[in-house]
Amino acid sequence: MFKQNLLSRLFSRGQGGPLVPQIYSRVVNRPLLVEPGMADALIDGWLRGGVEAGSGGEPRQILERVGHVAVLDVSGPLIARAVEPVCGASPVSYEGLMLAFDEIEADANITHVVLRMESPGGEAAQVFDLTDRMAELRSRKTLIAMVDDYAYSGGYAIAAACSEIWVTRTGGVGSVGVVIGHRDVSEANAKAGIKWTYVHSGALKVSGNPNEPLTEEARSVMQGESDRLYDLFTTSVAAYRGMAVGAVRATEAGIVFGQNAIDAGLADHLGTFRELMSELQGGSYTRKRLQQIASAPKVEANPATVELAAEAGEGGQLESDPASEIPGTVEATAEPMDFAALAEQCQQHGLSAITATAIKERWTASQLEAAVERADEIRSLCTAAGMPQLSVEYIASGSGVEVVRQELAARLAQGPNLSNRQPAGSTTHRAPTWGSVMKKIGV
């Protein structure tokens, strides 16, 4: 799946260059959005070493302009921040892609962006900052993921944030999951006569270290972080692609290819890079995915119910409720908003993560207004609870205000989850008490 000689050159201890410890520290005991086989190769490539790293490294050039089209090369393992190359070209970083998108947005001549994908994924850190930026940008530029020949895990997160996804007949997408690797070298140390002793303060300070077997407590902490990122990953993909979260989870982090990827809702078109570029250069290309949504049958005004896809993949019904706080109810007279206006309004109100859902469901102005009110109240609740970072996930998943209120109360009931840190130089500031926070969120 990924050539071993490239792995050896990229991750070899070789000459002990600065890239090695950076990559190793990012791979072990850290959440990765990467195809599992690749995760093993990343770790083994470093541990085995023994191959000279070589020299003559150079920065990766990922952006190329072809007329009004920008082509981004997204290949190989993905990392959060750029590193100095030791041999060959340095890995693609989310930081580098973010800068490329800034450059693309500033260029009025670029109307379409093609991300040529061949990546097994990589670090979880910062990937959703990048994909949220992409989801927001696609309201002004057409972003097309060209998967030739695979976009797995973190690579698929990037592809999913595009306006649409092309895949070759042999191309693979998916692996929507999280993996954390732990290396236990305690037995090898014992055989070598090496014994590690840690003097530490804080029960979890040396949790998960490689010189001891993984404790249940350390495993529980890692599993909790893996589950948290899995929730973020699946809800993000669902929002970007206009899918039910249950449908994304139902893939169980599996990989699908070609037409099967399209049938599963994880891609949109079969084709090659050459065919895509030819169509783009012809000047007749339009946002096909939005066209498909626009041509979908409209819901009649008379029925009292509307069919929805349940998370398990079976049909379900949702009763019409004009007073509902959650978008998605049937309105008898209101007309759906224009796609461009809807995307612009979502961006303006900080709802870029659910733009795809709004477009797919053909929201009306009143539905958008309800979504804005719901998002504002959720942000207020999360801020009052001292957990503002949770608001993005709640908003993207379509959670109702009362559901959020109860979940926050449940989290707080397990123990205060508030920071007691005081601003530097402050002697009077006191952190809010648990009781005062429960009162603030209305529980």
Side-chain angles (χ1 to χ4, degrees):
M1 191 166 296
F2 198 79
K3 295 182 179 180
Q4 185 61 40
N5 63 340
L6 179 54
L7 279 172
S8 297
R9 287 193 294 115
L10 186 57
F11 298 104
S12 167
R13 284 181 293 182
Q15 305 299 320
L19 177 61
V20 173
Q22 290 186 59
I23 292 295
Y24 183 65
S25 66
R26 291 171 173 183
V27 167
V28 178
N29 286 4
R30 293 290 303 277
L32 299 176
L33 304 186
V34 68
E35 195 277 327
M38 181 60 180
D40 292 339
L42 292 178
I43 297 172
D44 288 344
W46 182 85
L47 291 174
R48 292 176 184 176
V51 179
E52 291 188 0
S55 59
E58 56 186 26
R60 173 73 67 90
Q61 299 299 318
I62 61 174
L63 174 60
E64 180 180 355
R65 291 174 174 79
V66 184
H68 66 281
V69 181
V71 179
L72 292 175
D73 176 21
V74 185
S75 57
L78 305 171
I79 59 177
R81 299 177 63 182
V83 296
E84 290 297 324
V86 174
C87 57
S90 60
V92 174
S93 69
Y94 306 138
E95 179 182 58
L97 288 171
M98 192 81 80
L99 291 173
F101 283 120
D102 289 343
E103 187 176 339
I104 287 169
E105 184 172 29
D107 190 339
N109 294 321
I110 294 177
T111 59
H112 294 71
V113 184
V114 175
L115 288 81
R116 198 169 185 185
M117 308 288 305
E118 189 176 38
S119 174
E123 287 189 271
Q126 299 187 42
V127 66
F128 297 112
D129 298 325
L130 170 65
T131 57
D132 283 349
R133 167 80 168 93
M134 293 172 59
E136 183 271 332
L137 178 61
R138 72 186 191 186
S139 65
R140 298 182 297 282
K141 310 274 187 179
T142 301
L143 310 183
I144 306 171
M146 178 66 250
V147 181
D148 63 346
D149 226 16
Y150 54 89
Y152 299 144
S153 210
Y156 184 72
I158 292 174
C162 291
S163 311
E164 58 187 84
I165 300 175
W166 283 53
V167 62
T168 62
R169 290 176 295 174
T170 57
V173 297
S175 193
V176 182
V178 183
V179 59
I180 301 177
H182 174 264
R183 187 91 178 186
D184 180 4
V185 299
S186 58
E187 290 187 11
N189 286 343
K191 290 179 181 179
I194 300 172
K195 183 178 180 180
W196 280 75
T197 300
Y198 292 95
V199 178
H200 63 94
S201 300
L204 299 178
K205 184 61 178 178
V206 296
S207 178
N209 77 81
N211 298 303
E212 297 174 343
L214 189 66
T215 65
E216 286 303 315
E217 186 177 31
R219 180 186 294 275
S220 177
V221 171
M222 289 182 180
Q223 186 64 59
E225 179 61 4
S226 179
D227 291 343
R228 185 186 74 85
L229 286 172
Y230 183 57
D231 287 342
L232 179 57
F233 195 177
T234 53
T235 55
S236 295
V237 168
Y240 300 150
R241 296 287 302 162
M243 299 173 64
V245 176
V248 180
R249 285 177 170 267
T251 66
E252 294 293 350
I255 295 170
V256 287
F257 300 88
Q259 184 61 47
N260 290 335
I262 296 174
D263 296 340
L266 298 181
D268 302 299
H269 313 293
L270 278 182
T272 65
F273 178 67
R274 180 185 293 270
E275 291 169 342
L276 171 59
M277 291 301 293
S278 176
E279 188 171 343
L280 286 171
Q281 292 302 306
S284 60
Y285 195 89
T286 57
R287 298 187 182 193
K288 294 183 177 180
R289 195 155 180 262
L290 295 185
Q291 282 184 336
Q292 292 170 355
I293 295 172
S295 63
K298 295 183 179 180
V299 178
E300 296 293 334
N302 294 330
T305 61
V306 57
E307 294 287 346
L308 294 178
E311 286 200 350
E314 298 176 356
Q317 288 187 331
L318 176 68
E319 293 187 2
S320 177
D321 179 7
S324 173
E325 65 185 356
I326 302 177
T329 57
V330 177
E331 295 180 84
T333 58
E335 289 293 327
M337 293 180 64
D338 174 77
F339 291 146
L342 187 55
E344 182 179 353
Q345 288 296 309
C346 284
Q347 176 193 347
Q348 181 178 338
H349 293 288
L351 300 177
S352 58
I354 59 175
T355 301
T357 300
I359 292 174
K360 182 178 181 181
E361 296 180 358
R362 297 176 59 78
W363 282 5
T364 62
S366 59
Q367 285 177 296
L368 177 61
E369 182 180 355
V372 172
E373 292 178 359
R374 177 177 65 89
D376 288 343
E377 191 163 354
I378 287 174
R379 292 189 187 102
S380 297
L381 286 172
C382 291
T383 299
M387 294 175 273
Q389 72 279 5
L390 297 181
S391 63
V392 176
E393 296 178 42
Y394 281 132
I395 293 169
S397 64
S399 301
V401 172
E402 287 307 313
V403 171
V404 173
R405 193 191 310 275
Q406 294 304 317
E407 287 193 8
L408 290 174
R411 287 173 181 264
L412 290 169
Q414 295 174 359
N417 192 27
L418 303 173
S419 172
N420 58 8
R421 296 179 182 176
Q422 298 186 13
S426 172
T427 58
T428 59
H429 175 80
R430 295 182 62 188
T433 64
W434 177 62
S436 68
V437 172
M438 294 290 279
K439 185 176 181 180
K440 279 185 179 181
I441 66 174
V443 176

